[in-house]
Amino acid sequence: MADTSPKALATELLAILDRDEGRLARIDRYVRGEHDDPYMPPQADDEYKMLAKRAVSNWMPLLVGTPAQALYVDGFRSGSSSESELPEPAASKSGEWSHWQRSRLDARQSAIYRGALSFGHSFVLTERTKKGVISKGLSAKRTAALYEDPANDETPYAALTIVTPPKGKAKGKARMWDGSFEYAVTYESKSDPDSVSVTRLKRHGASECPVTRFAASVDLEGRTIGVVEPMIALQDRINQTVFDLLVAQTYTSHEVRYATGMAPPMQMELLDADGNVTTDPEKAVDSRPKLDGAGNPIPAAINHNARRFLFAEDPDVKFGSLPAGPVGSLIDSIDMSIRHLAAISQTPPHHLLGQIANLSAEALLAAETALQRKIAEFQSIFGESWERVFRLAAELDGDASSAEDFHGEVQWRDMESRSLAQAADALGKLAEQLGIPRRGLWKRVPGVTQTEYEDWVEMAEDEDSVGQLASALTRATPSVSEVPATSDAEVIAA
């Protein structure tokens, strides 16, 4: 039977972090633009190395940011309390949304998505603090979790996050959680199990481990894969081609002029009447070429540029020029590699190439279809993780009903690119032609927030109450024809 003691769990979790450290560090380098150098000759000089640094074209932040910017949780709708009741409408004052605002996840959710998309997974810790129950993101580089079935389980058996890595003689510190308790962990090295020490601190208050995994994709082996690691080979290919372009641009893209049969001018020194070297022009009677230490004449430096002309007295001297080398094929190769990157990563080509001129709305929609499908997949995966976070927060808050709510769902903001006029036309047709209640379509208005939606509902109810009161007053007030005629009226009429 496997050892499930706290020390054994901490040792295994630290070993997982030690095993994945190199791979995750490489992914982090590529996201930050610290790529592997392109191939260079072993005798490359400083100019080659400078061109290699300038050849880095970091596409990784765009591959991560494009789907991450379309992921924005805008509300949470609780499930029904019984089979006969309809689901509760989303509300900004619900317990789940209060927890969301208390944790400042409007701003912090993006970092969780970017971590999951970059490394393949990230984590969220839900815990009780002095300010109430809050949730916060944990980095995949510092956090690991154990699962009995990593491909299908959403609840980890135990999780550990490093707070302070070891430095010098100071030991590293970490926090660990299992199904009941929180532990303080100290260690000297992640690969040294004998240096691991575990101390139980307190009960964390939840019925299961309070750490939730946000995985971009999980296969049946339990492996998580982000959007960066599969693209590293393509990124290196683009960097190599850009480097070759810079080298060709620097050394062969300009026309080279040459002269043959011309002796270069030499540095001269003055001689006096005794044949000695002098620096006084008045004493000089002759001159000779200046020699170096080996007895060879030293050529004089020539200040030659586009404004100067070269001429020669010797008729055998010939002038000519070498044509510039073509760079168009290298530019086409870069363009092809970027298109491959766009196809494999399901990123619209116009996001990478900037070629958006003369594209109709239908063409843009077709170009972004693959991206929208990819975003929908991420929403379904991350939505399940947020629902577990809300259940954990409700349990720690003492809300037993919400803690057992497995029918709630996260509401994502509609970030699809379309005009307000198109959306209004489509929603109007849904209401008129299909008979869908108008109020049920309000949430589909692009850019509407939960608070705005609730304001609309209140204003609509106020208008309905005013209209009902006006109708009641109208029905209660008799018309002119219903007023009985008086005797005076009859006299006047006569």
Side-chain angles (χ1 to χ4, degrees):
M1 182 176 179
D3 187 1
T4 58
S5 64
K7 182 175 181 179
L9 293 175
T11 301
E12 185 173 359
L13 289 166
L14 288 172
I16 292 173
L17 290 174
D18 184 58
R19 179 198 65 193
D20 295 341
E21 183 177 8
R23 183 177 67 89
L24 297 180
R26 182 169 181 249
I27 294 173
D28 184 52
R29 285 196 300 106
Y30 269 80
V31 172
R32 292 185 289 108
E34 299 177 3
H35 300 179
D36 295 339
D37 290 333
Y39 171 78
M40 291 181 292
Q43 65 275 14
D45 55 13
D46 292 339
E47 187 174 8
Y48 264 79
K49 296 177 182 178
M50 178 192 68
L51 293 177
K53 291 182 180 180
R54 293 181 178 178
V56 173
S57 303
N58 191 13
W59 296 96
M60 297 304 180
L62 183 61
L63 301 184
V64 174
T66 298
Q69 290 170 357
L71 297 171
Y72 190 86
V73 172
D74 205 21
F76 180 80
R77 184 171 64 184
S78 302
S80 59
S81 57
S82 66
E83 296 182 357
S84 60
E85 294 182 2
L86 294 174
E88 295 290 337
S92 61
K93 297 181 181 179
S94 64
E96 292 84 358
W97 202 244
S98 297
H99 166 74
W100 179 274
Q101 296 295 334
R102 188 186 311 118
S103 303
R104 295 185 294 165
L105 288 172
D106 276 339
R108 293 181 172 182
Q109 60 177 317
S110 178
I112 297 171
Y113 306 143
R114 289 177 181 270
L117 295 174
S118 298
F119 301 107
H121 61 271
S122 59
F123 298 91
V124 169
L125 168 65
T126 306
E127 62 180 344
R128 187 184 291 114
T129 66
K130 296 179 180 179
K131 297 181 179 180
V133 178
I134 64 170
S135 295
K136 63 180 181 180
L138 301 176
S139 170
K141 293 180 63 180
R142 297 183 286 107
T143 309
L146 287 174
Y147 294 84
E148 294 183 0
D149 183 359
N152 299 298
D153 290 351
E154 69 169 358
T155 302
Y157 188 83
L160 177 144
T161 184
I162 294 176
V163 179
T164 305
K167 185 176 181 180
K169 296 183 179 180
K171 293 185 176 182
K173 297 180 181 180
R175 300 173 66 188
M176 187 179 73
W177 303 266
D178 60 12
S180 302
F181 298 96
E182 178 184 347
Y183 304 88
V185 180
T186 59
Y187 66 98
E188 294 180 1
S189 173
K190 288 181 287 189
S191 59
D192 183 10
D194 296 332
S195 66
V196 178
S197 176
V198 180
T199 305
R200 180 188 295 179
L201 295 180
K202 61 181 179 180
R203 286 186 176 272
H204 50 65
S207 60
E208 55 191 27
C209 182
V211 176
T212 304
R213 179 179 63 178
F214 283 68
S217 63
V218 184
D219 60 15
L220 293 180
E221 301 298 328
R223 294 170 297 198
T224 58
I225 303 174
V227 301
V228 173
E229 190 173 17
M231 299 295 109
I232 288 180
L234 267 173
Q235 175 68 77
D236 288 340
R237 191 170 84 186
I238 294 173
N239 290 346
Q240 181 68 53
T241 310
V242 174
F243 173 71
D244 295 340
L245 173 64
L246 292 179
V247 171
Q249 179 179 297
T250 302
Y251 294 104
T252 67
S253 64
H254 302 284
E255 186 176 3
V256 179
R257 293 178 174 84
Y258 66 87
T260 61
M262 174 185 288
M266 300 295 174
Q267 295 185 23
M268 306 299 290
E269 56 186 5
L270 303 177
L271 300 177
D272 57 15
D274 298 330
N276 298 322
V277 177
T278 181
T279 58
D280 189 356
E282 296 181 356
K283 297 180 180 180
V285 296
D286 197 2
S287 63
R288 69 181 181 186
K290 189 176 181 180
L291 305 179
D292 57 13
N296 300 316
I298 302 175
I302 301 176
N303 182 15
H304 179 62
N305 53 49
R307 296 179 299 174
R308 292 177 177 267
F309 291 91
L310 287 177
F311 62 92
E313 298 177 355
D314 191 344
D316 294 331
V317 175
K318 295 182 179 180
F319 293 94
S321 64
L322 299 176
V327 296
S329 59
L330 292 172
I331 296 175
D332 293 339
S333 178
I334 295 173
D335 185 75
M336 180 193 68
S337 298
I338 294 175
R339 291 182 185 275
H340 289 177
L341 183 70
I344 297 175
S345 64
Q346 292 182 259
T347 304
H350 60 272
H351 284 207
L352 300 175
L353 298 172
Q355 297 175 352
I356 199 172
N358 299 325
L359 290 180
S360 63
E362 292 77 10
L364 284 175
L365 181 61
E368 295 190 356
T369 299
L371 176 62
Q372 294 303 325
R373 292 173 180 170
K374 183 178 181 180
I375 292 171
E377 180 183 3
F378 290 148
Q379 288 177 344
S380 63
I381 296 173
F382 294 154
E384 290 291 332
S385 299
W386 280 127
E387 291 164 16
R388 180 177 186 268
V389 169
F390 285 131
R391 290 195 298 271
L392 284 172
E395 182 181 10
L396 292 174
D397 268 332
D399 187 351
S401 176
S402 297
E404 297 296 328
D405 180 13
F406 288 88
H407 298 281
E409 61 179 4
V410 168
Q411 294 185 325
W412 298 90
R413 178 177 294 181
D414 185 7
M415 307 292 286
E416 188 175 352
S417 58
R418 61 175 181 267
S419 66
L420 184 61
Q422 290 177 325
D425 182 62
L427 296 176
K429 290 180 179 179
L430 290 175
E432 295 295 335
Q433 299 178 8
L434 300 181
I436 299 177
R438 290 177 172 83
R439 186 174 297 186
L441 299 172
W442 290 354
K443 286 291 291 182
R444 294 185 176 270
V445 176
V448 64
T449 63
Q450 181 64 34
T451 303
E452 288 176 330
Y453 171 74
E454 293 178 4
D455 290 341
W456 293 354
V457 172
E458 292 180 2
M459 288 186 287
E461 291 175 351
D462 292 341
E463 290 179 357
D464 289 344
S465 61
V466 172
Q468 292 173 4
L469 178 60
S471 298
L473 292 175
T474 301
R475 289 193 301 269
T477 303
S479 62
V480 176
S481 60
E482 296 175 351
V483 179
T486 59
S487 56
D488 296 337
E490 293 175 357
V491 172
I492 295 173

